[in-house]
Amino acid sequence: MAIGLIIIGDEILSGRRVDKHFPKVLELLTQRGLQLSWAEYVGDERERITATLKRTLSGSDIVFCTGGIGATPDDHTRQCAAAALGVPLQLHPEAKEKIQERIGDTAREAGITPDFNAPENLHRLKMGEFPQGASIIPNPYNKIPGFSIQNTSGEGAHYFAPGFPVMAWPMFEWVLETKYAHLFHRQAWSEKSVLVFEAAESTLTPMMEAIEAEFPLVKVFSLPHVGDDKTRRHIDLGVKGDPDQVEQAFVKMQNGLNALKAEFHLPS
């Protein structure tokens, strides 16, 4: 299964907040021998969120989605997920219980008796209205859960958490440890590269193509840098994939660079 990430919120696209989810999700996956296949940013626009989820729900990927699951007017993710599935929102009984636990905790901390029927507390229950058939994701920070739904394809699932990193990250980690531990470190992976100075990519391309043709379990990457006051113009050139083939491909790459009389060094 491929793994995807959807980050929802106008505040990210406007620059009001800097996204921290992308690097953290990469970290969580890398620690477990997993890789992120794709990521998308979506603003707080219902039609676009619904269309995005309808498309991704039709696939077989494991998808982490963060942002927009609250109960304020700019939170649309829960409603859009339901619309994408063509099902109604329902107050999840476990979510109701957890939200009321949080209401009780907050009231006791303030030294008052919780009134679960107060208008503001009834409104808080909307945070537990998830698409019909959803399951909850526990939230160790404040007990207000996220939710998960199965993909319409019958394979894969979507996991929804709040936009707050302090909540989303442990929730995503719980999903990985609880649902996908059997996928950890199943595919061996290696990566090696060199810095090639003052060379044109067009000169290196035939060698790169030949390496990928000879080693089908390896991908070649080429990341040009225009240079700055600290380093000359160079290309970060390397191979990644199956460790055994990476070793062989890397030797082939270095031999090819020597044949081209290219200047290259291992990264420091």
Side-chain angles (χ1 to χ4, degrees):
M1 290 183 181
I3 300 176
L5 173 65
I6 300 174
I7 299 166
I8 295 174
D10 284 347
E11 69 277 7
I12 301 297
L13 297 179
S14 69
R16 191 175 184 86
R17 287 192 178 176
V18 176
D19 170 48
K20 297 179 181 179
H21 294 297
F22 181 83
K24 183 62 179 182
V25 169
L26 285 182
E27 177 188 322
L28 293 175
L29 295 176
T30 301
Q31 289 171 346
R32 294 161 174 81
L34 302 172
Q35 297 179 50
L36 186 68
S37 295
W38 56 269
E40 294 188 32
Y41 291 89
V42 185
D44 294 314
E45 181 186 339
R46 285 200 182 206
E47 292 78 9
R48 191 176 298 277
I49 297 170
T50 301
T52 298
L53 292 177
K54 192 170 185 178
R55 169 172 50 82
T56 58
L57 280 163
S58 68
S60 59
D61 294 349
I62 300 165
V63 180
F64 294 98
C65 185
T66 177
I69 68 170
T72 57
D74 60 340
D75 291 318
H76 308 301
T77 304
R78 293 177 296 106
Q79 300 89 325
C80 293
L85 289 172
V87 300
L89 287 174
Q90 290 184 341
L91 178 59
H92 194 288
E94 291 180 70
K96 178 182 179 181
E97 179 182 333
K98 292 298 181 183
I99 294 169
Q100 288 184 331
E101 281 183 21
R102 174 61 179 173
I103 293 170
D105 293 343
T106 303
R108 283 186 288 274
E109 289 169 6
I112 61 176
T113 301
D115 180 2
F116 296 111
N117 292 316
E120 64 271 19
N121 288 333
L122 292 175
H123 180 74
R124 289 189 176 101
L125 292 179
K126 288 188 174 295
M127 291 187 289
E129 293 180 354
F130 302 143
Q132 185 181 58
S135 300
I136 69 166
I137 302 173
N139 180 347
Y141 183 79
N142 67 0
K143 297 185 178 179
I144 299 175
F147 68 98
S148 66
I149 51 179
Q150 296 300 304
N151 293 351
T152 56
S153 67
E155 296 184 81
H158 282 51
Y159 300 92
F160 296 83
F164 298 101
V166 71
M167 301 179 196
W169 298 351
M171 293 168 77
F172 287 160
E173 191 161 16
W174 178 89
V175 169
L176 288 169
E177 293 292 335
T178 304
K179 306 290 185 181
Y180 299 107
H182 62 287
L183 298 180
F184 296 174
H185 304 289
R186 283 183 58 181
Q187 183 176 2
W189 183 266
S190 180
E191 180 176 311
K192 289 195 169 186
S193 67
V194 294
L195 303 182
V196 185
F197 292 91
E198 306 295 341
E201 278 189 298
S202 57
T203 303
L204 305 176
T205 297
M207 176 189 66
M208 295 164 64
E209 293 174 340
I211 289 173
E212 284 204 342
E214 184 174 348
F215 302 100
L217 301 181
V218 163
K219 288 184 178 180
V220 179
F221 61 88
S222 173
L223 305 172
H225 297 261
V226 297
D228 52 32
D229 57 347
K230 296 181 180 179
T231 185
R232 289 179 290 152
R233 180 173 66 93
H234 65 277
I235 297 170
D236 185 359
L237 183 70
V239 288
K240 57 186 179 182
D242 175 78
D244 290 337
Q245 290 202 3
V246 161
E247 291 293 335
Q248 300 172 61
F250 191 57
V251 171
K252 185 102 175 181
M253 176 175 284
Q254 292 178 88
N255 290 339
L257 291 171
N258 284 325
L260 292 170
K261 295 182 168 47
E263 179 189 355
F264 65 94
H265 306 287
L266 294 173
S268 57

